[in-house]
């Protein structure tokens, strides 16, 4: 039996977090955050372990992530990517409320639009993944717990929320940057970080920390930015981005 990510057979909480990519499954960053005695441990998972091969397809990825959640007894799935399109009456011209508040580089507009335009393929892919997850039984987070939750993250804001230096862009990140980021997380939290995590995996890891207080219903451990997800004109709009705080792993 599992309740909100905690496996009642061994009483361990598990959170699955994914740094999304639409060009290749190899560019996914997949982390399983698992509760251990006195803390947590991060485990990296490669795409092949989830039988993800070939060109990325939203339906295939969603089904694979559902199976992974079942396999690892995780009821919370965290994804770095937009969950829905802009609401037409949110008061903004080009973006969702959460993106404006957190100053995301890519802005999700009305259906089929994005700013800058080169973000559109990724944004459309991410939104479709969320839609496929909902078709499989996941719910978007709206303040209440559910048996399967799909939660949007934005790792850059997660680092900032924790008071840590964000990772540089992937193309500019050095091994030193990655080692510093891993060390910062290990110093701040009772968290064992494997050696050699990639840029994508570290982004997934910092986002995963918000899943713990969410699972426990402890509001001090996470912050929320955005607008309630809703259906407007038959299309899902807006949604919340959830970030960890410094109290994230205090159980």
């Amino acid at each position: 039996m599992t309740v909100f990510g905690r496996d009642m057979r061994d009483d361990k909480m598990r959170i699955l977090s994914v740094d999304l990519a639409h060009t290749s499954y190899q560019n996914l960053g997949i982390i399983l955050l698992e509760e251990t005695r006195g803390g947590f441990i991060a485990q990296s998972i490669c795409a092949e372990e989830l039988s993800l091969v070939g060109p990325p397809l939203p339906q295939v990825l969603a089904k694979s992530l559902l199976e992974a959640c079942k396999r690892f007894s995780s009821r919370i799935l965290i994804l770095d990517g937009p969950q829905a399109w802009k609401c037409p009456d949110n008061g903004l011209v080009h973006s969702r409320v959460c993106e404006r508040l957190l100053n995301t580089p890519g802005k999700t507009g009305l259906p089929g639009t994005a700013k800058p335009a080169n973000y559109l393929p990724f944004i459309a892919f991410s939104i479709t993944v969320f839609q496929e997850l909902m078709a499989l039984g996941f719910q978007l987070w709206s303040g209440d717990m559910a048996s399967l939750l799909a939660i949007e993250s934005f790792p850059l804001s997660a680092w900032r929320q924790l008071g840590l230096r964000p990772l540089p862009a992937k193309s500019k990140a050095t091994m030193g940057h990655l080692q510093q980021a891993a060390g910062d997380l290990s110093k701040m939290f009772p968290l064992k970080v494997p050696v050699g995590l990639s840029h994508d995996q570290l982004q997934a890891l910092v986002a995963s920390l918000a899943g713990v207080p969410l699972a426990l219903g402890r509001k001090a451990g996470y912050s929320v930015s955005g607008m309630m997800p809703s259906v407007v004109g038959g299309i899902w709009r807006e949604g919340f981005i959830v970030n960890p705080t410094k109290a994230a792993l205090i159980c």
Side-chain angles (χ1 to χ4, degrees), residues 7 17 44 61 102 110 118 138 170 173 195 199 226 249:
D7 190 324
S17 180
S44 61
L61 179 56
L102 298 177
L110 296 174
N118 62 334
F138 282 84
K170 189 175 178 179
V195 175
H199 186 281
L249 299 191

Side-chain angles (χ1 to χ4, degrees), residues 27-109:
N27 292 331
L28 294 173
I30 309 173
I31 287 291
L32 180 68
L33 183 66
E34 181 174 358
E35 187 178 15
T36 62
R37 181 175 298 179
F40 291 81
I41 185 171
Q43 302 178 47
S44 61
I45 300 170
C46 65
E48 288 82 359
E49 288 181 66
L50 304 185
S51 300
L52 291 170
V53 295
L57 298 172
Q59 186 177 34
V60 172
L61 179 56
K63 288 182 178 179
S64 178
L65 293 177
L66 172 62
E67 291 304 314
C69 285
K70 291 179 179 178
R71 171 183 168 189
F72 299 120
S73 298
S74 173
R75 298 293 179 129
I76 293 179
L77 175 63
I78 298 177
L79 300 172
D80 171 24
Q83 63 191 275
W85 298 101
K86 174 188 177 301
C87 189
D89 59 355
N90 69 355
L92 302 174
V93 177
H94 300 295
S95 71
R96 296 179 298 151
V97 171
C98 59
E99 294 165 339
R100 176 66 174 271
L101 291 172
L102 298 177
N103 194 27
T104 62
K107 305 297 192 293
T108 305

Side-chain angles (χ1 to χ4, degrees), residues 92-173:
L92 302 174
V93 177
H94 300 295
S95 71
R96 296 179 298 151
V97 171
C98 59
E99 294 165 339
R100 176 66 174 271
L101 291 172
L102 298 177
N103 194 27
T104 62
K107 305 297 192 293
T108 305
L110 296 174
T113 65
K115 190 175 182 179
N118 62 334
Y119 273 80
L120 182 57
F122 170 74
I123 286 173
F125 178 85
S126 176
I127 290 173
T128 305
V129 170
F130 272 99
Q131 291 173 343
E132 294 292 344
L133 287 169
M134 284 189 284
L136 294 171
F138 282 84
Q139 294 183 34
L140 301 180
W141 191 75
S142 59
D144 298 319
M145 301 306 294
S147 58
L148 284 171
L149 283 174
I151 296 170
E152 181 178 346
S153 70
F154 178 42
L156 178 61
S157 63
W159 294 106
R160 290 171 174 167
Q161 180 72 52
L162 296 173
L164 300 176
R165 179 177 297 179
L167 282 173
K170 189 175 178 179
S171 61
K172 298 180 180 180

